[in-house]
Amino acid sequence: MSLLEVSSLTVRFAGLVAVDAVDLAVEAGSIHALIGPNGAGKTTTFNLITGLIPPTSGSIRLDGVDITALPAFRRAGCGMARSFQNIRIFAGLTVLENVLTGLHAGLGSNLLDVVLRLPGFRRQERDAVARARAALEIVGLAGRADDAATALAYGDQRRLEIARAIVARPRLLLLDEPAAGMNPAETEALAALVRRIRDAGTTVLLVEHDMGFVMGIADRVTVLNFGRRIADGAPAAVRRDPAVITAYLGAKVAARLEAAG
Amino acid sequence: MLAQQLINGVLLGSTYALFALGFTLMFGVLKVVNLTYGFYFSAGAFFALHLTKQWGWPIAAALPAAAAASGVLAVVLDWLLLTRLRRINAPELSSLMVTLGAVLALYAGMTTWLGPDIRRLPAGVLGGEALVLGELRITQAQILILLATAVLVGGLLALMRLTPIGLALRAMAEKPDAAGLMGIDTAKLAALVSLVCGALAGAGGVLIGLNFNAIQPYMGEAMMLRGFVVIIIGGLGDVRGALIAGLLLGVVETLTAGYIDSGLKEAVAFIMLVAVLWTRPSGLFGRAHIQRA
Amino acid sequence: MPVWLDDFLWTYQNVVYALGINGLLALSMYVVLAVGQLSLGQAAFMGMGAYSSALLTLKLHLPFAVVLPAATIPPVLFALAIGTPTLRLSGVYLAIATIGLGEVLRAVYLNVDALGGALGISGIPERAGMVSIYGLLIVALAVLWLVARSGIGRAMEAMREDEIAAAVMGVNVRRYRLGALLASAVLAGAAGALSAHVSSFIGPNEYGFEPAVTILSYALLGGISSPFAPVAGAWILTLLPEALRGFADLRLVFNGLIIVVVVLFLPNGLLPLRMRRWVK
Ligand SMILES: Nc1ncnc2c1ncn2[C@@H]1O[C@H](COP(=O)(O)OP(=O)(O)OP(=O)(O)O)[C@@H](O)[C@H]1O
Ligand SMILES: [Mg+2]
């Protein structure tokens, strides 16, 4: 059984069908890429999966459990985490505190504990900090823990988002265009990081426009265009799929490529 | 008796609708809950008081002049208070807080300057005789209110529906991103909307001042409660909703005062507001604005 | 108590009480601002606490130790009735509904005979004092300080900055907001009960729009970087008119302008010191 099973997921915004009966199955332990031209509905699909917008119809199952109606904050507790296409770090917090927010769902934040500060609670807090530091270590930001989050460069802010998302060791990690704005060296390091995250037991679903990155890293690729799924399969097969080539390059170029063999 | 109450209620409600119309339009187009709005209501009444009392103007001339003066005041205050926040794209609560602080300073300053006493328009401004139709009495002030409201609301709707700038306003109110696409200059737009809305509030102040013949610096604050009730029941930013909800509130208030207890009319208005928030938060006629997350 | 302190308190008793009570009111605004919301119901909550405590003392002759907590129940119920529907919506709804609440309650106090009408309620015995006012202020400050430095404080700051991202981190945004509003109602209701029991008189016009905005000016002047900041703001704005008696008329103008200036030019208040959390 797949870790994430999305079936005929649909959302309509005032006339526009942004996601149209999309099926998607993400196998546990895989790196799965969701690609498609601009405006294809990839981010919207992520928003649906993480519960930020309600679907018009369709269902979402995580590990066999129907989570379609669950509010966003509960999905974190179910082992789901994500990063955002337009970076959304907490500007007022330090780098370390940003990562600590990623542990919120797992920490018992009970008013009585906070006021009494019993030893068990303090130990839990210390553990949390240790885990946050470890996550920063993994993404290579250990030295910046006490800096203001906004002091980080753009690429580092992206890695901070990843640290915040993986600190709770989620079962499913969704990354929305993690390589955007990175240079080739950084992109390569990112690929290694994503593989490490997968090897540590987190299934990864990612959206990315950098095809070299996607083809090199993904076990499976799903292609969206105008909200519809137009292809799904192994990277090599998807790359040759005429529907995909048409979607990316337009019908004329696709026909010429076909004619050229 | 009931017919008389209904007439009084509709007349009162039409001033509520007029007042709330500007308030909801300001929110709809500029996306700001502008709490200085109630002050334009007080200001309009005081402008009219001054014009009729000191300068001896007839009310037919004082009403448009006071409305225009209130509109200009609104443009100036909007420019002073909100330009900067619009430029930095500040969160909606920041602009609400700025206008809240400003309106407290304005009311308090006006009270210090003019005194808290209730003032009355000079005798004779209102015209003495009431129109009597069988059991029903309609005062001249009420007739003026009805005419003025009809003209202002009709004029505003015509502006919104028939002129290019009105279409741009509607586009703004319905699709916030459209303004950029249509190349609308937001500074000019803010000035225009402030002018129109400030004038509506000012006219409302004159008309309510006439209706109750009582003018006082804080009158706009009491009116804001009606403004809140109407725009929430009608749906934030919904022009048609504000018209209907304004009439509804006027009738309900008048009937409450007439048949239950006049001290309860504010409480009834507020209960209506809370009931709508619980059951139809986007207003009786509106689309949902609920945020998830 | 040393004699000089006794003399001092005797002379400046009202100011000293006002500092404590306004500090509590500033905290009741702080808790709501700290979750990124704006409530203007603090004065209304205070009024409910004042009126209900006065009635409990005068009509039922209950001891103050019972009256004080009981007086927070009506504000909490109203906070629930207004907060539950509005906190799902954008922040302007709570602000609008709470301003409306203050206006309505003034009309109710004025028109209901059992609440004294325009005359208000007088002859309330002086049951509150230094111990109850400052004891409560210190407890409230200590609890809020512990909360602000903890993971709860972190979550509050996160949702204030980006509620969507905070929800994705697992923060139950709506519950935090409602919890903050209820805490605010408790603090303001208690402040109302305390003030009624030091001033012996309460009236319908003390809990309307002006005090509501004044309470906001306390919190904005100090800022919300820590719970001490809004209390400092309240103290400055309580002492200033005492020092400048000639300008008493312009006190409200000044409070209003403070809000304008702070929001436009000092978005973090006068005390923008960042509080360190327990992160070692
Ligand atoms: N909340 C919304 N309301 C209305 N339309 C929306 C909303 N969110 C997204 N859309 C529209 O849905 C479509 C899909 O958008 P989406 O952001 O999912 O695309 P995407 O595949 O992530 O594109 P990109 O590669 O540019 O990030 C677009 O046409 C977008 O304008
Ligand atoms: Mg996208």
Side-chain angles (χ1 to χ4, degrees):
Chain A
M1 189 179 50
S2 319
L3 177 66
L4 177 75
E5 267 186 73
V6 166
S7 48
S8 55
L9 196 62
T10 301
V11 72
R12 207 170 275 128
F13 298 122
L16 169 83
V17 186
V19 174
D20 192 356
V22 166
D23 292 320
L24 176 67
V26 179
E27 295 307 318
S30 68
I31 296 176
H32 193 128
L34 184 63
I35 64 170
N38 289 113
K42 306 177 295 291
T43 297
T44 307
T45 304
F46 269 26
N47 289 343
L48 289 163
I49 294 172
T50 48
L52 293 179
I53 51 177
T56 309
S57 62
S59 75
I60 304 162
R61 288 167 168 276
L62 185 69
D63 219 0
V65 181
D66 191 333
I67 59 165
T68 317
L70 226 50
F73 75 90
R74 285 207 190 290
R75 299 188 195 202
C78 297
M80 203 186 261
R82 73 174 283 186
S83 71
F84 295 91
Q85 180 175 353
N86 49 337
I87 296 176
R88 299 185 93 141
I89 54 172
F90 301 116
L93 301 180
T94 65
V95 168
L96 183 63
E97 284 179 338
N98 261 281
V99 181
L100 282 165
T101 61
L103 288 167
H104 184 87
L107 285 176
S109 30
N110 172 324
L111 197 57
L112 208 61
D113 284 344
V114 164
V115 173
L116 296 180
R117 302 191 54 74
L118 296 176
F121 176 72
R122 300 234 291 268
R123 191 175 330 114
Q124 195 193 15
E125 275 193 337
R126 270 198 307 276
D127 285 354
V129 172
R131 289 171 70 183
R133 288 195 186 280
L136 282 174
E137 186 82 53
I138 292 174
V139 302
L141 287 174
R144 312 291 307 267
D146 294 322
D147 292 356
T150 40
L152 296 185
Y154 183 81
D156 286 347
Q157 294 193 358
R158 287 213 167 278
R159 290 189 292 162
L160 171 57
E161 269 211 352
I162 295 178
R164 186 177 68 177
I166 61 172
V167 65
R169 297 182 164 273
R171 285 190 285 175
L172 177 65
L173 172 66
L174 297 95
L175 298 174
D176 197 345
E177 303 201 14
M182 288 190 172
N183 63 35
E186 285 175 318
T187 307
E188 201 156 307
L190 177 72
L193 173 62
V194 172
R195 282 199 197 92
R196 272 177 72 190
I197 292 169
R198 189 263 318 268
D199 294 343
T202 294
T203 304
V204 179
L205 174 62
L206 60 87
V207 165
E208 189 44 70
H209 282 294
D210 182 333
M211 279 312 130
F213 177 84
V214 167
M215 294 304 161
I217 196 175
D219 300 313
R220 196 176 177 90
V221 179
T222 300
V223 190
L224 295 186
N225 193 24
F226 295 117
R228 287 175 169 277
R229 188 176 94 171
I230 56 169
D232 183 64
V238 164
R239 187 158 38 179
R240 286 192 304 269
D241 189 321
V244 176
I245 297 169
T246 308
Y248 270 92
L249 303 177
K252 264 196 202 142
V253 183
R256 220 178 307 144
L257 279 179
E258 193 125 327
Chain B
M1 179 64 186
L2 178 65
Q4 178 74 53
Q5 298 276 16
L6 284 176
I7 288 183
N8 292 347
V10 167
L11 278 159
L12 184 64
S14 66
T15 55
Y16 290 171
L18 179 68
F19 177 77
L21 200 59
F23 194 26
T24 209
L25 193 64
M26 240 176 199
F27 179 83
V29 179
L30 301 178
K31 305 291 169 231
V32 172
V33 176
N34 189 337
L35 297 173
T36 59
Y37 188 74
F39 183 74
Y40 310 138
F41 180 84
S42 301
F46 270 89
F47 284 133
L49 183 72
H50 189 82
L51 292 174
T52 51
K53 215 169 187 166
Q54 311 295 324
W55 298 6
W57 287 26
I59 194 71
L63 172 62
S70 309
V72 172
L73 183 66
V75 174
V76 173
L77 283 171
D78 178 274
W79 182 77
L80 280 175
L81 298 171
L82 297 172
T83 325
R84 180 187 165 87
L85 293 177
R86 261 195 285 276
R87 198 180 56 232
I88 61 172
N89 228 334
E92 57 182 1
L93 288 182
S94 299
S95 26
L96 197 156
M97 282 195 267
V98 163
T99 61
L100 182 68
V103 79
L104 178 68
L106 288 166
Y107 282 135
M110 189 173 179
T111 310
T112 313
W113 182 31
L114 298 169
D117 308 326
I118 292 179
R119 292 147 183 258
R120 303 195 187 283
L121 291 162
V125 155
L126 303 167
E129 278 99 274
L131 192 66
V132 179
L133 297 169
E135 300 268 283
L136 301 177
R137 268 176 57 88
I138 304 177
T139 65
Q140 292 206 358
Q142 288 179 320
I143 293 173
L144 180 66
I145 288 172
L146 198 62
L147 279 177
T149 310
V151 168
L152 285 168
V153 172
L156 184 73
L157 292 183
L159 177 90
M160 297 270 291
R161 286 184 189 276
L162 304 178
T163 66
I165 186 75
L167 289 178
L169 290 186
R170 284 207 313 162
M172 275 286 285
E174 277 151 34
K175 269 205 167 146
D177 306 332
L181 299 178
M182 296 170 66
I184 296 172
D185 176 348
T186 31
K188 269 192 200 140
L189 187 83
L192 177 78
V193 171
S194 300
L195 183 72
V196 170
C197 296
L200 285 176
V206 180
L207 295 174
I208 287 280
L210 276 173
N211 195 25
F212 296 114
N213 198 10
I215 293 174
Q216 194 255 340
Y218 275 94
M219 64 192 283
E221 189 204 315
M223 194 63 178
M224 278 308 262
L225 173 64
R226 273 73 180 199
F228 295 151
V229 173
V230 170
I231 66 168
I232 286 193
I233 294 181
L236 271 182
D238 183 338
V239 167
R240 189 187 49 141
L243 287 176
I244 301 172
L247 290 174
L248 181 71
L249 180 66
V251 171
V252 169
E253 271 196 6
T254 311
L255 293 181
T256 310
Y259 291 98
I260 308 174
D261 182 340
S262 73
L264 288 180
K265 59 183 200 286
E266 279 91 359
V268 168
F270 191 68
I271 289 168
M272 282 168 63
L273 179 146
V274 175
V276 166
L277 284 175
W278 273 91
T279 53
R280 295 201 53 118
S282 46
L284 288 182
F285 321 99
R287 300 170 292 266
H289 274 287
I290 297 195
Q291 295 183 328
R292 282 174 56 104
Chain C
M1 206 183 285
V3 175
W4 64 266
L5 183 60
D6 212 30
D7 283 352
F8 176 84
L9 288 180
W10 176 250
T11 318
Y12 292 103
Q13 198 182 41
N14 287 337
V15 180
V16 175
Y17 288 166
L19 288 175
I21 288 168
N22 291 344
L24 282 168
L25 292 171
L27 287 179
S28 89
M29 181 60 81
Y30 159 83
V31 290
V32 179
L33 291 175
V35 293
Q37 294 288 295
L38 176 62
S39 150
L40 290 152
Q42 274 65 17
F45 295 148
M46 181 191 184
M48 281 183 240
Y51 269 90
S52 49
S53 69
L55 293 178
L56 290 172
T57 299
L58 293 172
K59 297 267 148 65
L60 298 181
H61 310 290
L62 293 174
F64 193 59
V66 177
V67 168
L68 184 59
T72 63
I73 295 172
V76 163
L77 294 179
F78 270 82
L80 271 176
I82 293 183
T84 310
T86 50
L87 290 174
R88 297 178 290 168
L89 311 167
S90 90
V92 300
Y93 284 85
L94 179 68
I96 288 179
T98 47
I99 304 181
L101 178 68
E103 288 293 311
V104 169
L105 287 176
R106 186 176 54 181
V108 170
Y109 299 143
L110 272 172
N111 289 295
V112 176
D113 291 337
L115 298 175
L119 295 178
I121 300 179
S122 48
I124 306 163
E126 189 176 329
R127 297 264 165 86
M130 290 299 288
V131 176
S132 48
I133 293 175
Y134 282 88
L136 201 59
L137 180 62
I138 289 168
V139 169
L141 270 174
V143 169
L144 291 175
W145 184 68
L146 287 166
V147 167
R149 292 202 61 171
S150 73
I152 300 182
R154 195 164 49 226
M156 286 161 69
E157 192 166 346
M159 60 180 273
R160 188 162 85 225
E161 294 208 342
D162 186 338
E163 59 183 273
I164 303 265
V168 168
M169 299 306 125
V171 179
N172 186 345
V173 172
R174 222 185 276 176
R175 204 173 87 190
Y176 270 70
R177 285 179 180 168
L178 191 60
L181 187 67
L182 297 182
S184 168
V186 167
L187 286 168
L194 291 167
S195 79
H197 287 79
V198 293
S199 68
S200 93
F201 164 80
I202 57 177
N205 293 322
E206 292 172 33
Y207 310 106
F209 181 69
E210 296 161 12
V213 185
T214 298
I215 296 169
L216 176 65
S217 68
Y218 297 158
L220 290 183
L221 180 68
I224 53 170
S225 55
S226 85
F228 299 102
V231 175
W235 287 7
I236 293 173
L237 288 181
T238 309
L239 289 176
L240 215 55
E242 296 294 327
L244 308 172
R245 280 203 185 272
F247 298 93
D249 282 355
L250 294 176
R251 190 178 59 88
L252 290 174
V253 178
F254 186 68
N255 286 346
L257 290 179
I258 281 195
I259 296 181
V260 174
V261 170
V262 169
V263 176
L264 287 181
F265 303 109
L266 291 172
N268 298 315
L270 280 187
L271 302 171
L273 310 167
R274 240 194 84 68
M275 189 176 41
R276 279 194 61 84
R277 297 214 162 77
W278 277 294
V279 169
K280 279 278 130 45

